[in-house]
Amino acid sequence: MKVKFLIIINLILFSIIIFMGVHMYGENKEVSGEWKRINTVEQGYNCLENPIDPLFAQALSNSHVMIEYCQIQQLYYETWIAQYNDIMKKIRKKCIYDEDIANYNLFINEMENGFDKLQPLILNEILDNYNMPESPEKDSWGNGTQETLLMYCGTMYRNACMFFIPFLEKSDYSFPVNEVKESLSK
């Protein structure tokens, strides 16, 4: 129950971020890879603008063919896993004490195994198709199921990136906006 609640909260937050990104993208067509903090001094936490999600949200909303939609979902996963690997290499360089390295390794291990633990519950929700007469089994996979899972996994890596980016120097990281635009235009 707790895991299902966390997944639902994560999906709601992801939807809000996508909506905000589409809204921000609509207001400002000039997108850069530089990350910016949103003023949250009074709340005491960091929040970042993310220029990648609006690009994917626009591409997904403009896709009209299932295979194209699935390719965008796959690209979303590939983009965020690459960003995660890049960011985590930089975080690892900052770990100089044994305890820091152990905590880093624990986090990496949990990220690698975390989605495998969540996947059955996510599939339960994706494949909640008891009302479909042509699909008597609950867990029959259809077009796009694998890509949808990849996109959810990409979201998990995206959230990890958004958590660690504020701990990097601005000169150490920028979002790959031009690369994403180029990939989405293919």
Side-chain angles (χ1 to χ4, degrees), residues 6-18:
L6 291 174
I7 290 173
I8 291 170
I9 294 297
N10 191 15
L11 293 175
I12 290 170
L13 290 174
F14 177 69
S15 299
I16 291 169
I17 289 169
I18 290 288

Side-chain angles (χ1 to χ4, degrees), residues 97-111:
Y97 299 108
D98 290 341
E99 183 180 358
D100 296 343
I101 294 168
N103 288 334
Y104 171 87
N105 290 335
L106 177 65
F107 182 83
I108 294 296
N109 187 46
E110 288 297 319
M111 285 296 292

Side-chain angles (χ1 to χ4, degrees), residues 34-181:
E34 183 178 319
W35 55 271
K36 302 172 192 156
R37 291 185 200 276
I38 298 173
N39 186 7
T40 57
V41 173
E42 57 279 351
Q43 290 93 354
Y45 60 85
N46 287 316
C47 208
L48 299 176
E49 290 182 18
N50 168 3
I52 294 177
D53 283 344
L55 297 173
F56 278 99
Q58 183 181 27
L60 287 167
S61 67
N62 291 337
S63 68
H64 301 291
V65 180
M66 185 63 169
I67 192 160
E68 179 184 14
Y69 195 86
C70 292
Q71 289 169 341
I72 295 167
Q73 289 175 310
Q74 171 88 26
L75 182 60
Y76 185 86
Y77 166 78
E78 292 169 358
T79 298
W80 281 113
I81 193 86
Q83 296 313 297
Y84 169 80
N85 289 330
D86 180 46
I87 289 167
M88 294 314 292
K89 285 178 188 172
K90 293 171 183 175
I91 295 295
R92 173 60 180 91
K93 288 180 183 176
K94 295 173 79 172
C95 298
I96 56 174
Y97 299 108
D98 290 341
E99 183 180 358
D100 296 343
I101 294 168
N103 288 334
Y104 171 87
N105 290 335
L106 177 65
F107 182 83
I108 294 296
N109 187 46
E110 288 297 319
M111 285 296 292
E112 288 174 0
N113 297 320
F115 192 76
D116 291 337
K117 294 175 184 174
L118 296 174
Q119 183 174 330
L121 180 59
I122 293 170
L123 276 172
N124 285 345
E125 297 306 313
I126 292 173
L127 302 175
D128 185 11
N129 54 8
Y130 289 119
N131 297 326
M132 294 174 58
E134 67 276 2
S135 179
E137 309 93 34
K138 178 184 181 338
D139 292 330
S140 63
W141 289 46
N143 288 341
T145 302
Q146 187 61 41
E147 289 79 9
T148 300
L149 286 172
L150 281 176
M151 190 162 180
Y152 281 118
C153 188
T155 301
M156 185 178 81
Y157 284 103
R158 173 201 161 281
N159 291 345
C161 291
M162 298 305 288
F163 176 77
F164 281 108
I165 290 171
F167 297 108
L168 300 174
E169 298 295 324
K170 278 196 170 203
S171 60
D172 286 344
Y173 181 78
S174 65
F175 290 99
V177 172
N178 291 332
E179 294 89 345
V180 170
K181 285 180 180 179

